[in-house]
Short mmCIF file of all heavy atoms in Angstrom, two decimals:
data_model
loop_
_atom_site.label_atom_id
_atom_site.label_comp_id
_atom_site.label_asym_id
_atom_site.label_seq_id
_atom_site.Cartn_x
_atom_site.Cartn_y
_atom_site.Cartn_z
N THR A 40 -10.37 17.68 11.89
CA THR A 40 -11.68 17.70 12.51
C THR A 40 -12.54 18.76 11.83
O THR A 40 -12.13 19.39 10.86
CB THR A 40 -11.59 18.06 13.99
OG1 THR A 40 -11.11 19.41 14.15
CG2 THR A 40 -10.60 17.15 14.72
N LYS A 41 -13.72 18.97 12.33
CA LYS A 41 -14.63 19.97 11.76
C LYS A 41 -14.05 21.38 11.87
O LYS A 41 -14.46 22.30 11.17
CB LYS A 41 -15.99 19.90 12.46
CG LYS A 41 -15.97 20.28 13.96
CD LYS A 41 -17.33 20.16 14.53
CE LYS A 41 -17.29 20.50 16.07
NZ LYS A 41 -18.57 20.30 16.71
N ASP A 42 -13.13 21.57 12.80
CA ASP A 42 -12.47 22.88 12.98
C ASP A 42 -11.30 23.13 12.12
O ASP A 42 -10.75 24.23 12.04
CB ASP A 42 -12.01 23.04 14.44
CG ASP A 42 -13.19 22.95 15.42
OD1 ASP A 42 -14.28 23.49 15.10
OD2 ASP A 42 -13.05 22.33 16.52
N THR A 43 -10.90 22.08 11.32
CA THR A 43 -9.81 22.23 10.44
C THR A 43 -10.21 23.08 9.21
O THR A 43 -11.23 22.81 8.60
CB THR A 43 -9.29 20.84 9.96
OG1 THR A 43 -9.02 20.00 11.07
CG2 THR A 43 -8.03 20.99 9.11
N SER A 44 -9.32 24.01 8.87
CA SER A 44 -9.73 24.95 7.78
C SER A 44 -9.67 24.18 6.45
O SER A 44 -8.93 23.21 6.26
CB SER A 44 -8.77 26.12 7.80
OG SER A 44 -7.43 25.74 7.52
N ASP A 45 -10.36 24.74 5.49
CA ASP A 45 -10.43 24.09 4.14
C ASP A 45 -9.09 24.29 3.43
O ASP A 45 -8.84 23.64 2.38
CB ASP A 45 -11.56 24.76 3.30
CG ASP A 45 -12.89 24.40 3.79
OD1 ASP A 45 -12.98 23.36 4.44
OD2 ASP A 45 -13.86 25.19 3.63
N GLU A 46 -8.23 25.19 3.90
CA GLU A 46 -6.95 25.39 3.21
C GLU A 46 -5.96 24.26 3.49
O GLU A 46 -4.93 24.18 2.85
CB GLU A 46 -6.32 26.71 3.71
CG GLU A 46 -7.06 27.97 3.15
CD GLU A 46 -8.32 28.23 3.85
OE1 GLU A 46 -8.48 27.83 5.06
OE2 GLU A 46 -9.25 28.78 3.21
N THR A 47 -6.25 23.38 4.43
CA THR A 47 -5.30 22.32 4.79
C THR A 47 -5.52 21.15 3.76
O THR A 47 -6.41 21.13 2.97
CB THR A 47 -5.53 21.78 6.18
OG1 THR A 47 -6.78 21.07 6.27
CG2 THR A 47 -5.52 22.93 7.20
N SER A 48 -4.67 20.14 3.91
CA SER A 48 -4.78 18.98 3.02
C SER A 48 -5.62 17.84 3.65
O SER A 48 -5.56 16.74 3.21
CB SER A 48 -3.38 18.46 2.71
OG SER A 48 -2.70 18.07 3.89
N CYS A 49 -6.34 18.17 4.67
CA CYS A 49 -7.20 17.12 5.34
C CYS A 49 -8.25 16.62 4.33
O CYS A 49 -8.82 17.35 3.58
CB CYS A 49 -7.89 17.72 6.57
SG CYS A 49 -6.77 17.92 7.96
N PRO A 50 -8.47 15.30 4.36
CA PRO A 50 -9.42 14.73 3.40
C PRO A 50 -10.87 15.08 3.73
O PRO A 50 -11.26 15.31 4.84
CB PRO A 50 -9.23 13.19 3.62
CG PRO A 50 -8.75 13.08 5.07
CD PRO A 50 -7.94 14.31 5.29
N LYS A 51 -11.67 15.22 2.64
CA LYS A 51 -13.10 15.50 2.77
C LYS A 51 -13.86 14.64 1.80
O LYS A 51 -14.48 15.12 0.85
CB LYS A 51 -13.42 16.96 2.59
CG LYS A 51 -12.78 17.91 3.61
CD LYS A 51 -13.28 19.30 3.48
CE LYS A 51 -14.72 19.40 3.96
NZ LYS A 51 -15.17 20.86 4.03
N PRO A 52 -13.88 13.30 2.05
CA PRO A 52 -14.69 12.44 1.14
C PRO A 52 -16.16 12.78 1.21
O PRO A 52 -16.67 13.11 2.35
CB PRO A 52 -14.40 10.99 1.66
CG PRO A 52 -13.87 11.25 3.06
CD PRO A 52 -13.22 12.54 3.06
N PHE A 53 -16.83 12.79 0.13
CA PHE A 53 -18.25 13.17 0.07
C PHE A 53 -18.42 14.63 0.49
O PHE A 53 -19.55 15.06 0.80
CB PHE A 53 -19.13 12.29 0.92
CG PHE A 53 -19.13 10.85 0.60
CD1 PHE A 53 -19.18 9.89 1.57
CD2 PHE A 53 -19.00 10.40 -0.71
CE1 PHE A 53 -19.14 8.51 1.30
CE2 PHE A 53 -18.97 9.05 -1.01
CZ PHE A 53 -19.04 8.11 0.00
N GLY A 54 -17.31 15.38 0.54
CA GLY A 54 -17.36 16.79 0.95
C GLY A 54 -17.60 16.95 2.46
O GLY A 54 -17.95 18.01 2.93
N LYS A 55 -17.37 15.85 3.21
CA LYS A 55 -17.56 15.86 4.61
C LYS A 55 -16.25 15.83 5.38
O LYS A 55 -15.30 15.23 4.92
CB LYS A 55 -18.43 14.62 5.06
CG LYS A 55 -19.82 14.64 4.51
CD LYS A 55 -20.59 13.40 4.90
CE LYS A 55 -22.00 13.37 4.39
NZ LYS A 55 -22.82 14.45 5.04
N ASN A 56 -16.19 16.56 6.55
CA ASN A 56 -14.96 16.51 7.33
C ASN A 56 -15.01 15.22 8.14
O ASN A 56 -15.99 14.46 8.20
CB ASN A 56 -14.86 17.75 8.18
CG ASN A 56 -15.95 17.94 9.15
OD1 ASN A 56 -16.30 17.01 9.93
ND2 ASN A 56 -16.57 19.08 9.18
N CYS A 57 -13.87 15.00 8.83
CA CYS A 57 -13.72 13.70 9.57
C CYS A 57 -14.74 13.53 10.67
O CYS A 57 -15.13 12.39 10.95
CB CYS A 57 -12.30 13.61 10.12
SG CYS A 57 -11.10 13.29 8.81
#
Side-chain angles (χ1 to χ4, degrees):
T40 67
K41 65 182 177 182
D42 299 320
T43 306
S44 65
D45 290 334
E46 287 75 29
T47 70
S48 59
C49 286
K51 294 188 73 173
F53 301 144
K55 296 178 179 291
N56 61 53
C57 287

